[in-house]
């Protein structure tokens, strides 16, 4: 035929959005799998395949015509009355990437349209539409197919419609249509609507009288719904989140507002039957060099929960407004200069314990507040910030409130010479302030003021493959201008301190070739020493703005600093000796085994503690503090990191006091990770009461008992579809389970299910175990692939609770 046909195929008919159907809609019965380009897996089935087969588009039966023309092939062709052209037998028409297959095609003499009788098949790239009859316009792109069955191969979508039309403006209209991503023959779920309009140009679709069916049973209904049909963001309702317990119903209905390509917002009304209406929201924006977001929520007059106990934690804020806000912004002026803004606040320290967060990260211990300008040069690094945070603890005593840095200015630099010499400059000036009743805290803690801290250093680093040597001298100079407000004190408000810190660090590396189990290794033996001397200086009148004493560890063997922060400089006259041996495999030097043992010898008592008095040791009545200050050697530190093979790994650390013959801290971890996705973790923890001096009795992590815990967790991929997860954390000291968790995740071709039971101890934000209580819950999440899901995601928590676990993407 010489006539150029001007129809186009219905490419991209459906994507990962919603199709819909009315309560009375009745789409045609689906075709069998073999009619939908479906090929079940055979011996070539991928190991991780979730579906039982795949859609495969067959090759074109005609070569592509040139110049947009139409090529045709048929068993017969003749002209009828009034110039009508009839193709019969097995008719094939192809234009560009579109191809029509039908037993009979009729073109009237007007050449304005063409009619195809079925059963017919219309194909385009990754698209198949089958139907009983079709009409195509030869003057526009309009088309209509009756009793249509469609498949979009790359999106794994299929569906049926009584009529499928392509309108002249490029939109598609489907009457009494269905949509699903399930394998042919499976109708676990499908979405049905009696009037569906798809606009590919805008990326939107609409449906009237839409219903969701599971196993042909209606479970949800929309009178009208607007939905996306591509990956672009669109305004509309998101899937709700539903929580149910024995006492309350928790329902959240997010609404997404696509304001502009670089602006959007999510508004989430949330109804909690025993709390009230919580209105949450998030606004995000993006510019070429800046980005940020603000989120928050508000609940007017908390109903206090359903507990009958008036002292229950849930009723602490009954009748009060509950809220939080968290603003974040980050940007850059150029490649070296960046800035950040952050402001977080909550009505109380229990807000996130009671309500959680619907957006972004999980809030845990505090809400940061920050304004920072940062410059990174080749030599100088400059930082200016105003910083603080709200500590999320209830009740929160004045003495536990954090200090604000208003402002904090830092300037650091480093210079190096080819001879191995180097110089460092570190400096910081900070004004510390906090909002407390000065009379409600100890005198030392009532101080606010400005601190200037300078720490220039110089050293020489000799570094070769067979060893290293590094002598280093650092000068710590600190000055304070303090304010005790109206407190009556004879303390000096202008304080200075100068302390030299000298150290020498050195080590050797011996190597030898070694054969074990028929494999070649390179074994190293690396003895190391570190001598540090820091004289004692009187710091008894110094404040405690940002300083804590560090717990002893392997790294502390080689560090001259006993405190974090700049308010305390610990005196030290110590020699550390240690040796490490590593087993290296293959040319890349991959480490299979690392074993180390070390100990420090003290030549003087350590008189400086948080009290800062160089002339007074802790009283002998406090045995642990006194012993820690006067012992002549540190605990023996032993560590091991062993990659047994590519699946098994073990870590071990042991701090043993060879004088009192007791273990101060021990930890053992054994992990199994298989390529298939299995993860098993076995852990043991022991820690002597008071071992970590940085943890104070007022801290949440404080324990007034020796810690002994066992931890078992696993994530087992029973099949490509089924993941099983679990955890059991046991406090052996107090004979109680701190956490129990068991769950299953089913990941099928067209849906995902996550069901988890969890029971845990809530410490009630105190260090005492007497007021701890047990909490428990069941978490359910159901996802319709290509459609959305119901339930809150718990994946981030599971990944924290089960090291090595990576949730399967639905």
């Amino acid at each position: 035929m010489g006539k150029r046909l001007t129809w186009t195929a219905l490419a991209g008919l459906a994507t990962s959005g919603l199709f819909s159907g009315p309560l009375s809609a009745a789409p045609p019965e689906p075709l069998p799998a073999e009619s939908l380009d479906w090929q079940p897996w055979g011996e070539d089935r991928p190991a991780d395949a979730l579906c039982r087969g795949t859609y495969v588009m067959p090759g074109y039966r005609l070569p592509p015509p040139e110049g947009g023309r139409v090529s045709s092939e048929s068993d017969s062709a003749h002209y009828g009355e009034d110039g009508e052209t009839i193709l019969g037998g097995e008719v094939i028409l192809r234009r560009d990437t579109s191809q029509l297959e039908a037993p009979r095609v009729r073109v009237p003499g007007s050449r304005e349209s063409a009619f195809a009788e079925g059963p017919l098949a219309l194909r385009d790239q990754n698209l198949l539409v089958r139907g009983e009859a079709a009409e195509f316009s030869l003057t526009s792109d309009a088309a209509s197919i009756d009793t249509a069955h469609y498949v979009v191969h790359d999106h794994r979508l299929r569906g049926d419609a009584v009529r499928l039309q392509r309108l002249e403006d490029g939109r598609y209209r489907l009457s009494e249509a269905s949509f699903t991503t399930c394998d042919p023959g499976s109708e676990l779920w499908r979405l049905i609507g009696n009037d569906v309009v798809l606009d590919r140009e805008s990326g939107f679709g609409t449906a009237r009288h839409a219903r969701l069916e599971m196993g042909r049973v209606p479970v949800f209904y929309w009178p009208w719904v607007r939905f996306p049909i591509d990956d672009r963001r669109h305004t509309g309702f998101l899937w709700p989140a539903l929580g149910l317990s024995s006492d309350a119903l928790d329902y959240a209905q997010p609404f997404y507002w696509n304001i502009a390509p670089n602006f959007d917002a999510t508004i989430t009304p949330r109804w909690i039957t025993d709390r009230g209406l919580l209105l949450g929201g998030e606004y995000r924006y993006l510019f070429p060099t800046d980005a940020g977001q603000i989120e928050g929520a508000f609940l007017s007059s908390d109903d206090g929960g359903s507990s009958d106990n008036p002292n229950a934690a849930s009723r602490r804020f009954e009748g009060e407004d509950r809220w939080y806000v968290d603003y974040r912004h980050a940007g850059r002026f150029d490649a070296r200069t960046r800035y950040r803004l952050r402001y977080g606040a909550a009505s109380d320290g229990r807000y996130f314990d009671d309500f959680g967060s619907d957006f972004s990260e999980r809030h845990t211990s505090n809400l940061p507040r920050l304004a920072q300008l940062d410059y990174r040069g080749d030599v100088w690094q400059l930082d200016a910030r105003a910083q603080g945070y709200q500590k999320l603890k209830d009740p929160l005593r004045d003495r536990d409130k954090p200090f604000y840095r208003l402002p904090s200015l830092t300037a650091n630099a480093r210079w190096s010479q080819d001879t191995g010499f180097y110089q460092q400059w570190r400096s910081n000036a900070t004004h510390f302030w906090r909002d407390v009743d000065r009379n409600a805290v100890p005198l030392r803690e009532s101080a606010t003021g400005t601190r200037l801290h300078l720490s220039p250093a110089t050293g020489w680093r000799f570094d070769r493959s067979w060893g290293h040597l590094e002598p280093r001298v650092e000068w710590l100079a600190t000055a304070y201008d303090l304010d005790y407000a109206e407190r009556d004190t004879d303390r000096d408000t202008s304080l200075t301190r100068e302390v030299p810190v000298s150290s020498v660090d050195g080590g050797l590396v011996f190597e030898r070739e070694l054969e074990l189990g028929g494999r070649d290794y390179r074994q190293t033996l690396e003895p190391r020493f570190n001598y540090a001397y820091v004289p004692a200086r009187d710091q008894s009148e110094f404040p405690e703005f940002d300083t804590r004493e560090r717990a002893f560890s392997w790294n502390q063997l080689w560090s001259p600093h006993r405190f974090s922060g700049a308010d305390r400089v610990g005196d030290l006259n110590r020699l550390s000796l240690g040796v490490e041996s590593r087993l290296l495999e293959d040319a890349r030097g991959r480490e299979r085994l690392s074993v180390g043992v070390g100990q420090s010898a003290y030549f003087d008592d350590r008189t400086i503690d948080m009290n800062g008095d160089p002339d007074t040791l802790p009283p002998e009545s406090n045995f642990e503090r006194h012993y820690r200050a006067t012992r002549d050697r540190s605990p023996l530190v032993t560590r091991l990191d062993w990659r047994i093979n590519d699946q098994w790994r073990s870590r071990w650390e042991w701090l043993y006091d060879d004088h009192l013959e007791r273990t101060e801290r021990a930890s053992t971890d054994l992990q199994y990770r298989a390529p298939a996705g299995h993860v098993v973790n076995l852990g043991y923890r022991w820690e002597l009461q008071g071992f970590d001096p940085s943890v104070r009795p007022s801290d949440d992590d404080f324990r007034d008992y020796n810690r002994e815990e066992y931890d078992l967790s696993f994530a087992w991929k029973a099949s490509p579809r089924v993941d099983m997860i679990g955890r059991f954390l046991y406090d052996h000291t107090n004979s109680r389970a701190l956490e129990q968790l068991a769950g299953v995740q089913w990941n099928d071709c067209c849906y995902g299910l996550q069901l988890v039971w969890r029971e845990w101890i809530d410490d009630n934000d105190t260090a005492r175990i007497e007021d701890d209580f047990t909490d428990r819950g069941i978490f359910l999440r159901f996802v319709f692939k290509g459609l959305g899901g119901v339930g809150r995601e718990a994946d981030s928590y599971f990944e924290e609770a089960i090291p090595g676990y990576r949730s399967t993407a639905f």
Side-chain angles (χ1 to χ4, degrees), residues 474-478 496-501 533-542 562-563 567-572 605-616:
E474 185 175 14
W475 186 262
L476 305 182
T478 313
T496 60
R497 178 195 63 203
E498 297 179 358
V499 185
V501 177
Y533 178 76
V534 184
R537 295 290 188 266
D538 187 358
Q539 302 163 63
S540 56
E541 295 189 1
F542 282 35
R562 293 173 44 221
F563 294 87
D567 296 319
R568 295 289 181 275
V569 177
D571 55 323
L572 192 64
D605 293 338
R606 278 74 58 211
T607 58
I608 300 297
D609 57 11
M610 289 303 297
N611 293 326
D613 188 346
D615 301 319
T616 305

Side-chain angles (χ1 to χ4, degrees), residues 165-217:
Q165 296 174 281
R166 190 184 196 283
L167 308 179
E168 292 187 6
D169 59 6
R171 295 181 300 157
Y172 298 101
R173 165 162 281 169
L174 294 85
S175 301
E176 301 191 32
S178 69
F179 156 82
T180 186
T181 59
C182 295
D183 291 343
S186 171
E187 294 187 353
L188 183 93
W189 70 267
R190 64 176 182 167
L191 206 67
I192 298 176
N194 71 341
D195 185 13
V196 180
V197 177
L198 308 177
D199 188 345
R200 296 182 61 208
E201 182 175 350
S202 67
F204 279 108
T206 61
R208 299 181 184 276
H209 301 294
R211 72 177 184 268
L212 174 66
E213 290 186 353
M214 297 186 66
R216 303 241 174 174
V217 177

Side-chain angles (χ1 to χ4, degrees), residues 552-554 557 577-578 596-600 631 633-639 652-659 662-665:
F552 198 78
S553 65
W554 175 266
L557 286 170
L577 298 174
V597 59
Q599 190 174 34
S600 295
R631 64 194 303 176
R633 58 184 182 273
S634 74
L636 190 67
V637 185
T638 305
R639 57 184 289 270
W652 179 60
E653 184 182 48
W654 184 34
L655 275 71
Y656 179 72
D657 184 347
D658 58 342
H659 176 68
R662 67 178 184 180
T663 296
E664 295 191 0
R665 185 174 67 185

Side-chain angles (χ1 to χ4, degrees), residues 7 9-10 99-100 120-124 127-129 136 145:
W7 53 266
L10 309 181
Q99 178 178 279
L100 173 67
L120 59 88
L122 176 64
R123 296 187 178 278
D124 207 325
L127 172 73
L128 166 66
V129 181
F136 303 96
I145 300 177

